[in-house]
PDB file of all heavy atoms in Angstrom:
ATOM      1  N   ASP A 383     -26.018  59.256  -3.065  1.00 97.00           N
ATOM      2  CA  ASP A 383     -25.981  60.652  -3.528  1.00 97.00           C
ATOM      3  C   ASP A 383     -26.388  61.649  -2.425  1.00 97.00           C
ATOM      4  O   ASP A 383     -27.400  61.436  -1.758  1.00 97.00           O
ATOM      5  CB  ASP A 383     -26.859  60.949  -4.780  1.00 97.00           C
ATOM      6  CG  ASP A 383     -26.431  60.183  -5.988  1.00 97.00           C
ATOM      7  OD1 ASP A 383     -25.193  60.087  -6.205  1.00 97.00           O
ATOM      8  OD2 ASP A 383     -27.309  59.660  -6.676  1.00 97.00           O
ATOM      9  N   LEU A 384     -25.602  62.707  -2.251  1.00 98.00           N
ATOM     10  CA  LEU A 384     -26.000  63.848  -1.385  1.00 98.00           C
ATOM     11  C   LEU A 384     -26.894  64.679  -2.224  1.00 98.00           C
ATOM     12  O   LEU A 384     -26.557  65.155  -3.308  1.00 98.00           O
ATOM     13  CB  LEU A 384     -24.767  64.572  -0.916  1.00 98.00           C
ATOM     14  CG  LEU A 384     -25.110  65.752   0.095  1.00 98.00           C
ATOM     15  CD1 LEU A 384     -25.697  65.181   1.365  1.00 98.00           C
ATOM     16  CD2 LEU A 384     -23.821  66.488   0.380  1.00 98.00           C
ATOM     17  N   CYS A 385     -28.095  65.015  -1.681  1.00 98.00           N
ATOM     18  CA  CYS A 385     -29.123  65.739  -2.455  1.00 98.00           C
ATOM     19  C   CYS A 385     -29.584  66.970  -1.649  1.00 98.00           C
ATOM     20  O   CYS A 385     -29.423  67.024  -0.391  1.00 98.00           O
ATOM     21  CB  CYS A 385     -30.274  64.844  -2.730  1.00 98.00           C
ATOM     22  SG  CYS A 385     -29.823  63.382  -3.792  1.00 98.00           S
ATOM     23  N   ASP A 386     -30.160  67.891  -2.340  1.00 97.00           N
ATOM     24  CA  ASP A 386     -30.660  69.132  -1.753  1.00 97.00           C
ATOM     25  C   ASP A 386     -32.050  68.858  -1.140  1.00 97.00           C
ATOM     26  O   ASP A 386     -32.523  67.727  -1.084  1.00 97.00           O
ATOM     27  CB  ASP A 386     -30.713  70.256  -2.796  1.00 97.00           C
ATOM     28  CG  ASP A 386     -31.584  69.973  -4.008  1.00 97.00           C
ATOM     29  OD1 ASP A 386     -32.515  69.104  -3.868  1.00 97.00           O
ATOM     30  OD2 ASP A 386     -31.450  70.620  -4.997  1.00 97.00           O
ATOM     31  N   ASP A 387     -32.691  69.924  -0.753  1.00 96.00           N
ATOM     32  CA  ASP A 387     -34.028  69.817  -0.143  1.00 96.00           C
ATOM     33  C   ASP A 387     -35.167  69.377  -1.078  1.00 96.00           C
ATOM     34  O   ASP A 387     -36.255  69.136  -0.639  1.00 96.00           O
ATOM     35  CB  ASP A 387     -34.347  71.152   0.586  1.00 96.00           C
ATOM     36  CG  ASP A 387     -34.322  72.394  -0.261  1.00 96.00           C
ATOM     37  OD1 ASP A 387     -33.858  72.253  -1.424  1.00 96.00           O
ATOM     38  OD2 ASP A 387     -34.793  73.411   0.160  1.00 96.00           O
ATOM     39  N   HIS A 388     -34.794  69.251  -2.355  1.00 96.00           N
ATOM     40  CA  HIS A 388     -35.777  68.709  -3.324  1.00 96.00           C
ATOM     41  C   HIS A 388     -35.423  67.361  -3.806  1.00 96.00           C
ATOM     42  O   HIS A 388     -35.960  66.818  -4.778  1.00 96.00           O
ATOM     43  CB  HIS A 388     -35.856  69.667  -4.571  1.00 96.00           C
ATOM     44  CG  HIS A 388     -36.340  71.039  -4.263  1.00 96.00           C
ATOM     45  ND1 HIS A 388     -37.681  71.230  -3.854  1.00 96.00           N
ATOM     46  CD2 HIS A 388     -35.680  72.208  -4.194  1.00 96.00           C
ATOM     47  CE1 HIS A 388     -37.794  72.627  -3.623  1.00 96.00           C
ATOM     48  NE2 HIS A 388     -36.602  73.213  -3.831  1.00 96.00           N
ATOM     49  N   ARG A 389     -34.497  66.751  -3.065  1.00 96.00           N
ATOM     50  CA  ARG A 389     -33.998  65.423  -3.390  1.00 96.00           C
ATOM     51  C   ARG A 389     -33.301  65.273  -4.675  1.00 96.00           C
ATOM     52  O   ARG A 389     -33.338  64.166  -5.327  1.00 96.00           O
ATOM     53  CB  ARG A 389     -35.103  64.332  -3.120  1.00 96.00           C
ATOM     54  CG  ARG A 389     -35.668  64.338  -1.736  1.00 96.00           C
ATOM     55  CD  ARG A 389     -36.697  63.247  -1.522  1.00 96.00           C
ATOM     56  NE  ARG A 389     -37.219  63.366  -0.186  1.00 96.00           N
ATOM     57  CZ  ARG A 389     -38.368  62.907   0.194  1.00 96.00           C
ATOM     58  NH1 ARG A 389     -39.109  62.319  -0.609  1.00 96.00           N
ATOM     59  NH2 ARG A 389     -38.786  63.077   1.451  1.00 96.00           N
ATOM     60  N   GLU A 390     -32.757  66.368  -5.173  1.00 96.00           N
ATOM     61  CA  GLU A 390     -31.968  66.364  -6.405  1.00 96.00           C
ATOM     62  C   GLU A 390     -30.503  66.400  -6.036  1.00 96.00           C
ATOM     63  O   GLU A 390     -30.160  67.011  -5.045  1.00 96.00           O
ATOM     64  CB  GLU A 390     -32.348  67.628  -7.222  1.00 96.00           C
ATOM     65  CG  GLU A 390     -33.817  67.676  -7.717  1.00 96.00           C
ATOM     66  CD  GLU A 390     -34.119  66.505  -8.675  1.00 96.00           C
ATOM     67  OE1 GLU A 390     -33.238  66.148  -9.470  1.00 96.00           O
ATOM     68  OE2 GLU A 390     -35.229  66.036  -8.627  1.00 96.00           O
ATOM     69  N   PRO A 391     -29.630  65.763  -6.849  1.00 95.00           N
ATOM     70  CA  PRO A 391     -28.207  65.848  -6.473  1.00 95.00           C
ATOM     71  C   PRO A 391     -27.774  67.246  -6.186  1.00 95.00           C
ATOM     72  O   PRO A 391     -28.049  68.240  -6.811  1.00 95.00           O
ATOM     73  CB  PRO A 391     -27.563  65.247  -7.738  1.00 95.00           C
ATOM     74  CG  PRO A 391     -28.659  64.377  -8.331  1.00 95.00           C
ATOM     75  CD  PRO A 391     -29.988  65.031  -8.040  1.00 95.00           C
ATOM     76  N   CYS A 392     -26.968  67.320  -5.140  1.00 95.00           N
ATOM     77  CA  CYS A 392     -26.540  68.549  -4.503  1.00 95.00           C
ATOM     78  C   CYS A 392     -25.243  69.130  -5.200  1.00 95.00           C
ATOM     79  O   CYS A 392     -24.278  68.396  -5.410  1.00 95.00           O
ATOM     80  CB  CYS A 392     -26.319  68.270  -3.016  1.00 95.00           C
ATOM     81  SG  CYS A 392     -25.889  69.709  -2.096  1.00 95.00           S
ATOM     82  N   GLY A 393     -25.312  70.370  -5.463  1.00 92.00           N
ATOM     83  CA  GLY A 393     -24.121  71.050  -5.974  1.00 92.00           C
ATOM     84  C   GLY A 393     -23.618  72.045  -5.032  1.00 92.00           C
ATOM     85  O   GLY A 393     -24.168  72.330  -4.006  1.00 92.00           O
ATOM     86  N   ASN A 394     -22.501  72.733  -5.477  1.00 95.00           N
ATOM     87  CA  ASN A 394     -21.897  73.739  -4.599  1.00 95.00           C
ATOM     88  C   ASN A 394     -22.806  74.915  -4.348  1.00 95.00           C
ATOM     89  O   ASN A 394     -22.728  75.583  -3.335  1.00 95.00           O
ATOM     90  CB  ASN A 394     -20.618  74.265  -5.296  1.00 95.00           C
ATOM     91  CG  ASN A 394     -19.540  73.218  -5.271  1.00 95.00           C
ATOM     92  OD1 ASN A 394     -19.489  72.349  -4.364  1.00 95.00           O
ATOM     93  ND2 ASN A 394     -18.596  73.271  -6.191  1.00 95.00           N
TER      94      ASN A 394
END
Side-chain angles (χ1 to χ4, degrees):
D383 292 321
L384 183 63
C385 296
D386 62 20
D387 55 350
H388 297 290
R389 299 184 183 157
E390 296 295 327
C392 182
N394 290 334

